[in-house]
Amino acid sequence: MGHHRFFLWSFRLLCISTVFITAVSADLISDLTGQNFKVLFPGNSAYSNASTAFNLRYTFLPAAVAYPNSAQDVSTAMKIGAAFNLQVVARSGGHSYIANGLGGKNGVLVVDMGNFKSVIVDSTTKIATIGPGNRLGDVALALNNKGRALPHGTCPYVGMGGHSGYGGYGFTSRKWGLTLDTIQSLQVVLANGAIVVASSTNNPDLFWALRGAPSSFGIVTSIRANTFAAPGSATVFEYKWDLSASSAASALSAFQSFVQTPNLPQEFAAELVLRAGSSKGRVNFGLTGGWYAPANEFAGVIARFLAKVPTAQSKNLTVGTYINSVQYLGGLGRLNTAGIPDAHDTFYVKSLMTPEASPISTKAGMAFMSYLANQGFGTNTDWFVEVELYGGTNSAINNVPSNATAFSNRNSMFTIQFYTSARGGVPPFPQEGFTLLDGMVNSLLNNSPSNWDYGAYPNYVDDRLENWQNLYYGANYPRLKSLKDKYDTQDTLNFPTAIQE
């Protein structure tokens, strides 16, 4: 049934794109075809795959998809797009949850950065120069070959460009910070086609904006980032419980108290993974994470939490090398993505960044777990919730001032990702999926203080989110608006959650 539905969806897209061919200017085709890089237009045999979003809830038809090989090629594409008054958007991995890499509407010029895949580590400074078209799995492998590592997410197929530009959380982030915190300089093509370097000393205002809202200000062609010595040992831990709503709420409270205990090591990283329980009224409650210190020291750290919750129904500790842990957490059994197509899904995501200064209350925790246990049981979509530990004692993420980069949420305890997908991962996506996640978020918000200082995570981007400017960027948004006026006067770099002029 799922394959039949996907075929119908694909056939509909083909029909629409055939009609769209006539809308693409012959002059645009001529100008782009005359360059020394690959370009796909509606009607080309590879166009359908090139214009398919990772999230199949979205169907957009670009005017063209360009595949530049150099910063100069990107500049050329940018100038041509602007000359034809087109929106221009960059796409690194294409994993934007709302298909921002396709521009959010038809008729956009997509600049695909898939050819920018070099990873070079300076043997003296240990600074890595990384192409934004790399996928995280391939970056991890290349750095590991030099004994180095970066903080980054677990999914091997996520593109480096967007991930590093809008945050970049991973299990080593409590120790090393977000991916964007490692960035030392960026080569970027501006909306007028100029190729510049942004750093703390060159174009510092642009450098500030590119670390948090990059796609609104230019197309990054090269990332120079500090790297870290790969830990000598890594322990991946997994615990699972099937709990009543009240017991799950108590376990959430216990975890929240645990991560605020004095001297919680930076080497400890974790997330709660919540799913539908074994029956209505129950929650599948998981704890997954990494321990990046000697394996024999882990038991003493986690014991403080385990003493406050029921005995886990299952427990798994996987001890090995750092790169083994990255591969294990990636969930695919491999990190190399070369030549292997990515999978698609049909889904909706919301996020919530909860304030360290005002932890989730007992009332809110109970309302949340009760909602998951009851309204979350027997749904017509598949769902999970990840409660990611950003803060807690000694977190490197929160040691950075909120105005040091455009990424402003530096006072969070947890970042919660609420994710639900259509059965089989193929369209259509049911309306009930939106209602389900709205209810999850509201169960927390409606039972928290009216002035609760929460935020949302830009890499879990949500085009249904009201007040996204404040929730993503907080007090940094006015400065971003001012810089947008300076660096993109024609609003060429535009998409649904772009900084507005």
Side-chain angles (χ1 to χ4, degrees):
M1 178 62 75
H3 292 294
H4 178 65
R5 288 161 62 198
F6 184 75
F7 171 78
L8 292 175
W9 175 88
S10 301
F11 179 74
R12 176 176 172 270
L13 176 60
L14 177 62
C15 293
I16 294 171
S17 62
T18 301
V19 172
F20 185 67
I21 294 172
T22 58
V24 177
S25 161
D27 289 338
L28 174 66
I29 294 173
S30 175
D31 283 7
L32 284 170
T33 303
Q35 307 305 321
N36 294 318
F37 51 85
K38 175 182 172 182
V39 187
L40 297 175
F41 301 97
N44 295 150
S45 60
Y47 174 86
S48 180
N49 280 341
S51 60
T52 298
F54 168 63
N55 185 353
L56 298 178
R57 275 205 305 121
Y58 296 90
T59 303
F60 298 123
L61 301 172
V65 182
Y67 296 85
N69 302 299
S70 66
Q72 186 57 57
D73 289 348
V74 174
S75 174
T76 299
M78 185 79 83
K79 290 175 181 177
I80 291 173
F84 283 88
N85 200 31
L86 294 178
Q87 271 179 228
V88 181
V89 294
R91 179 173 68 182
S92 56
H95 265 242
S96 167
Y97 284 176
I98 62 171
N100 273 343
L102 292 173
K105 70 175 188 180
N106 295 338
V108 172
L109 173 57
V110 174
V111 179
D112 188 290
M113 303 301 289
N115 293 328
F116 290 71
K117 288 186 174 176
S118 64
V119 180
I120 301 169
V121 179
D122 186 290
S123 59
T124 301
T125 65
K126 307 301 182 185
I127 290 175
T129 303
I130 303 170
N134 279 288
R135 306 299 181 105
L136 297 184
D138 301 305
V139 172
L141 286 172
L143 293 180
N144 189 69
N145 287 339
K146 302 294 185 180
R148 310 300 291 179
L150 278 175
H152 57 72
T154 58
C155 178
Y157 275 88
V158 167
M160 182 68 179
H163 185 71
S164 65
Y166 289 96
Y169 167 81
F171 282 131
T172 55
S173 287
R174 290 192 70 254
K175 183 173 177 61
W176 295 339
L178 301 171
T179 313
L180 67 75
D181 294 328
T182 69
I183 297 174
Q184 300 303 295
S185 67
L186 297 159
Q187 185 186 67
V188 59
V189 176
L190 301 180
N192 65 2
I195 303 170
V196 303
V197 171
S199 69
S200 59
T201 54
N202 293 319
N203 303 298
D205 58 348
L206 178 64
F207 186 51
W208 178 87
L210 291 171
R211 291 171 297 155
S215 310
S216 294
F217 295 93
I219 297 179
V220 171
T221 55
S222 181
I223 303 162
R224 292 182 71 253
N226 276 336
T227 64
F228 301 85
S233 173
T235 301
V236 177
F237 54 89
E238 301 167 285
Y239 298 85
K240 291 182 181 179
W241 297 260
D242 187 73
L243 301 174
S244 67
S246 60
S247 293
S250 295
L252 171 61
S253 179
F255 184 67
Q256 190 169 238
S257 297
F258 163 66
V259 300
Q260 296 175 83
T261 54
N263 301 317
L264 180 71
Q266 288 182 318
E267 290 79 8
F268 176 86
E271 65 183 14
L272 303 178
V273 183
L274 310 173
R275 301 179 186 271
S278 59
S279 60
K280 190 171 185 178
R282 301 188 72 79
V283 176
N284 185 304
F285 189 103
L287 173 66
T288 297
W291 171 249
Y292 301 99
N296 61 1
E297 297 175 8
F298 174 67
V301 173
I302 197 65
R304 288 176 282 172
F305 170 67
L306 296 178
K308 302 295 185 181
V309 296
T311 302
Q313 290 170 299
S314 69
K315 166 188 170 183
N316 185 46
L317 301 180
T318 304
V319 181
T321 64
Y322 170 74
I323 199 65
N324 289 155
S325 75
V326 177
Q327 178 170 298
Y328 185 90
L329 290 165
L332 300 179
R334 58 179 168 80
L335 290 172
N336 177 24
T337 70
I340 308 171
D342 194 6
H344 294 276
D345 197 3
T346 304
F347 64 98
Y348 176 57
V349 170
K350 297 181 80 72
S351 69
L352 201 61
M353 301 184 78
T354 70
E356 254 189 343
S358 180
I360 297 171
S361 67
T362 301
K363 178 184 177 184
M366 185 63 226
F368 177 50
M369 291 301 179
S370 180
Y371 186 93
L372 298 185
N374 293 287
Q375 284 85 348
F377 187 79
T379 59
N380 66 346
T381 58
D382 300 313
W383 63 268
F384 64 84
V385 176
E386 292 177 341
V387 183
E388 301 163 348
L389 177 60
Y390 263 54
T393 310
N394 302 320
S395 172
I397 301 172
N398 289 349
N399 287 340
V400 178
S402 62
N403 62 354
T405 67
F407 186 93
S408 67
N409 288 315
R410 300 288 188 168
N411 62 351
S412 299
M413 174 73 75
F414 301 125
T415 290
I416 308 177
Q417 177 178 206
F418 310 82
Y419 189 113
T420 190
S421 58
R423 291 288 168 82
V426 296
F429 182 82
Q431 180 63 36
E432 294 88 342
F434 298 113
T435 305
L436 176 69
L437 293 203
D438 289 345
M440 289 182 186
V441 172
N442 289 337
S443 70
L444 287 165
L445 296 183
N446 294 343
N447 291 281
S448 297
S450 59
N451 62 345
W452 207 38
D453 187 24
Y454 67 94
Y457 182 43
N459 266 334
Y460 299 155
V461 63
D462 173 9
D463 56 5
R464 294 175 67 247
L465 182 63
E466 296 180 5
N467 193 28
W468 61 264
Q469 295 91 339
N470 181 61
L471 294 174
Y472 290 146
Y473 298 108
N476 290 339
Y477 194 75
R479 183 180 177 191
L480 286 167
K481 274 181 62 92
S482 175
L483 291 172
K484 179 72 169 176
D485 292 340
K486 174 181 177 180
Y487 284 103
D488 186 11
T489 56
Q490 296 184 45
D491 206 22
T492 300
L493 298 157
N494 194 12
F495 48 93
T497 54
I499 305 302
Q500 303 300 306
E501 289 189 346

PDB file of all heavy atoms in Angstrom, residues 231-244:
ATOM      1  N   PRO A 231      38.072  11.391  21.727  1.00  0.00           N
ATOM      2  CA  PRO A 231      38.211  10.762  23.046  1.00  0.00           C
ATOM      3  C   PRO A 231      38.789   9.356  22.936  1.00  0.00           C
ATOM      4  O   PRO A 231      38.537   8.634  21.973  1.00  0.00           O
ATOM      5  CB  PRO A 231      36.765  10.728  23.568  1.00  0.00           C
ATOM      6  CG  PRO A 231      36.069  11.812  22.823  1.00  0.00           C
ATOM      7  CD  PRO A 231      36.706  11.841  21.466  1.00  0.00           C
ATOM      8  N   GLY A 232      39.543   8.987  23.931  1.00  0.00           N
ATOM      9  CA  GLY A 232      40.169   7.667  23.921  1.00  0.00           C
ATOM     10  C   GLY A 232      39.187   6.535  24.129  1.00  0.00           C
ATOM     11  O   GLY A 232      39.452   5.386  23.748  1.00  0.00           O
ATOM     12  N   SER A 233      38.053   6.837  24.725  1.00  0.00           N
ATOM     13  CA  SER A 233      37.040   5.819  24.989  1.00  0.00           C
ATOM     14  C   SER A 233      35.667   6.460  24.894  1.00  0.00           C
ATOM     15  O   SER A 233      35.493   7.646  25.214  1.00  0.00           O
ATOM     16  CB  SER A 233      37.233   5.216  26.379  1.00  0.00           C
ATOM     17  OG  SER A 233      36.164   4.348  26.724  1.00  0.00           O
ATOM     18  N   ALA A 234      34.688   5.692  24.440  1.00  0.00           N
ATOM     19  CA  ALA A 234      33.309   6.167  24.388  1.00  0.00           C
ATOM     20  C   ALA A 234      32.377   5.028  24.789  1.00  0.00           C
ATOM     21  O   ALA A 234      32.523   3.901  24.310  1.00  0.00           O
ATOM     22  CB  ALA A 234      32.954   6.667  22.996  1.00  0.00           C
ATOM     23  N   THR A 235      31.445   5.330  25.665  1.00  0.00           N
ATOM     24  CA  THR A 235      30.454   4.352  26.104  1.00  0.00           C
ATOM     25  C   THR A 235      29.077   4.859  25.703  1.00  0.00           C
ATOM     26  O   THR A 235      28.659   5.937  26.127  1.00  0.00           O
ATOM     27  CB  THR A 235      30.495   4.164  27.628  1.00  0.00           C
ATOM     28  OG1 THR A 235      31.807   3.732  28.023  1.00  0.00           O
ATOM     29  CG2 THR A 235      29.457   3.146  28.086  1.00  0.00           C
ATOM     30  N   VAL A 236      28.386   4.112  24.861  1.00  0.00           N
ATOM     31  CA  VAL A 236      26.997   4.432  24.521  1.00  0.00           C
ATOM     32  C   VAL A 236      26.105   3.660  25.481  1.00  0.00           C
ATOM     33  O   VAL A 236      26.246   2.439  25.632  1.00  0.00           O
ATOM     34  CB  VAL A 236      26.659   4.052  23.072  1.00  0.00           C
ATOM     35  CG1 VAL A 236      25.184   4.333  22.772  1.00  0.00           C
ATOM     36  CG2 VAL A 236      27.549   4.816  22.097  1.00  0.00           C
ATOM     37  N   PHE A 237      25.202   4.366  26.154  1.00  0.00           N
ATOM     38  CA  PHE A 237      24.319   3.700  27.115  1.00  0.00           C
ATOM     39  C   PHE A 237      22.866   3.835  26.698  1.00  0.00           C
ATOM     40  O   PHE A 237      22.450   4.847  26.142  1.00  0.00           O
ATOM     41  CB  PHE A 237      24.533   4.249  28.531  1.00  0.00           C
ATOM     42  CG  PHE A 237      24.403   5.744  28.663  1.00  0.00           C
ATOM     43  CD1 PHE A 237      23.186   6.355  28.929  1.00  0.00           C
ATOM     44  CD2 PHE A 237      25.532   6.562  28.530  1.00  0.00           C
ATOM     45  CE1 PHE A 237      23.076   7.736  29.063  1.00  0.00           C
ATOM     46  CE2 PHE A 237      25.430   7.949  28.653  1.00  0.00           C
ATOM     47  CZ  PHE A 237      24.194   8.532  28.921  1.00  0.00           C
ATOM     48  N   GLU A 238      22.092   2.794  26.947  1.00  0.00           N
ATOM     49  CA  GLU A 238      20.678   2.746  26.609  1.00  0.00           C
ATOM     50  C   GLU A 238      19.920   2.028  27.725  1.00  0.00           C
ATOM     51  O   GLU A 238      20.222   0.873  28.047  1.00  0.00           O
ATOM     52  CB  GLU A 238      20.462   2.000  25.293  1.00  0.00           C
ATOM     53  CG  GLU A 238      21.184   2.596  24.093  1.00  0.00           C
ATOM     54  CD  GLU A 238      21.204   1.656  22.909  1.00  0.00           C
ATOM     55  OE1 GLU A 238      21.986   0.670  22.957  1.00  0.00           O
ATOM     56  OE2 GLU A 238      20.445   1.885  21.954  1.00  0.00           O
ATOM     57  N   TYR A 239      18.956   2.721  28.295  1.00  0.00           N
ATOM     58  CA  TYR A 239      18.083   2.139  29.307  1.00  0.00           C
ATOM     59  C   TYR A 239      16.645   2.342  28.848  1.00  0.00           C
ATOM     60  O   TYR A 239      16.307   3.388  28.277  1.00  0.00           O
ATOM     61  CB  TYR A 239      18.271   2.828  30.661  1.00  0.00           C
ATOM     62  CG  TYR A 239      19.657   2.712  31.252  1.00  0.00           C
ATOM     63  CD1 TYR A 239      20.661   3.608  30.879  1.00  0.00           C
ATOM     64  CD2 TYR A 239      19.961   1.728  32.194  1.00  0.00           C
ATOM     65  CE1 TYR A 239      21.932   3.521  31.431  1.00  0.00           C
ATOM     66  CE2 TYR A 239      21.227   1.631  32.751  1.00  0.00           C
ATOM     67  CZ  TYR A 239      22.211   2.533  32.364  1.00  0.00           C
ATOM     68  OH  TYR A 239      23.470   2.448  32.909  1.00  0.00           O
ATOM     69  N   LYS A 240      15.783   1.357  29.120  1.00  0.00           N
ATOM     70  CA  LYS A 240      14.382   1.476  28.729  1.00  0.00           C
ATOM     71  C   LYS A 240      13.462   1.020  29.854  1.00  0.00           C
ATOM     72  O   LYS A 240      13.751   0.047  30.563  1.00  0.00           O
ATOM     73  CB  LYS A 240      14.100   0.672  27.461  1.00  0.00           C
ATOM     74  CG  LYS A 240      14.764   1.247  26.212  1.00  0.00           C
ATOM     75  CD  LYS A 240      14.417   0.458  24.966  1.00  0.00           C
ATOM     76  CE  LYS A 240      15.112   1.049  23.747  1.00  0.00           C
ATOM     77  NZ  LYS A 240      14.813   0.284  22.508  1.00  0.00           N
ATOM     78  N   TRP A 241      12.342   1.755  29.971  1.00  0.00           N
ATOM     79  CA  TRP A 241      11.299   1.430  30.938  1.00  0.00           C
ATOM     80  C   TRP A 241       9.940   1.529  30.232  1.00  0.00           C
ATOM     81  O   TRP A 241       9.799   2.270  29.257  1.00  0.00           O
ATOM     82  CB  TRP A 241      11.280   2.433  32.088  1.00  0.00           C
ATOM     83  CG  TRP A 241      12.477   2.520  32.960  1.00  0.00           C
ATOM     84  CD1 TRP A 241      12.630   1.951  34.195  1.00  0.00           C
ATOM     85  CD2 TRP A 241      13.683   3.270  32.721  1.00  0.00           C
ATOM     86  NE1 TRP A 241      13.861   2.288  34.731  1.00  0.00           N
ATOM     87  CE2 TRP A 241      14.532   3.100  33.847  1.00  0.00           C
ATOM     88  CE3 TRP A 241      14.125   4.070  31.660  1.00  0.00           C
ATOM     89  CZ2 TRP A 241      15.780   3.697  33.942  1.00  0.00           C
ATOM     90  CZ3 TRP A 241      15.377   4.647  31.749  1.00  0.00           C
ATOM     91  CH2 TRP A 241      16.189   4.469  32.874  1.00  0.00           C
ATOM     92  N   ASP A 242       8.951   0.809  30.721  1.00  0.00           N
ATOM     93  CA  ASP A 242       7.560   1.007  30.338  1.00  0.00           C
ATOM     94  C   ASP A 242       6.838   1.464  31.601  1.00  0.00           C
ATOM     95  O   ASP A 242       6.664   0.679  32.538  1.00  0.00           O
ATOM     96  CB  ASP A 242       6.950  -0.291  29.793  1.00  0.00           C
ATOM     97  CG  ASP A 242       5.547  -0.070  29.238  1.00  0.00           C
ATOM     98  OD1 ASP A 242       5.425   0.528  28.158  1.00  0.00           O
ATOM     99  OD2 ASP A 242       4.567  -0.477  29.900  1.00  0.00           O
ATOM    100  N   LEU A 243       6.454   2.742  31.638  1.00  0.00           N
ATOM    101  CA  LEU A 243       6.014   3.360  32.882  1.00  0.00           C
ATOM    102  C   LEU A 243       4.602   3.921  32.776  1.00  0.00           C
ATOM    103  O   LEU A 243       4.155   4.316  31.692  1.00  0.00           O
ATOM    104  CB  LEU A 243       6.961   4.504  33.262  1.00  0.00           C
ATOM    105  CG  LEU A 243       8.444   4.161  33.469  1.00  0.00           C
ATOM    106  CD1 LEU A 243       9.252   5.431  33.687  1.00  0.00           C
ATOM    107  CD2 LEU A 243       8.621   3.199  34.633  1.00  0.00           C
ATOM    108  N   SER A 244       3.925   3.971  33.912  1.00  0.00           N
ATOM    109  CA  SER A 244       2.671   4.717  33.978  1.00  0.00           C
ATOM    110  C   SER A 244       2.979   6.197  33.778  1.00  0.00           C
ATOM    111  O   SER A 244       4.128   6.635  33.913  1.00  0.00           O
ATOM    112  CB  SER A 244       1.995   4.505  35.329  1.00  0.00           C
ATOM    113  OG  SER A 244       2.783   5.104  36.360  1.00  0.00           O
TER     114      SER A 244
END
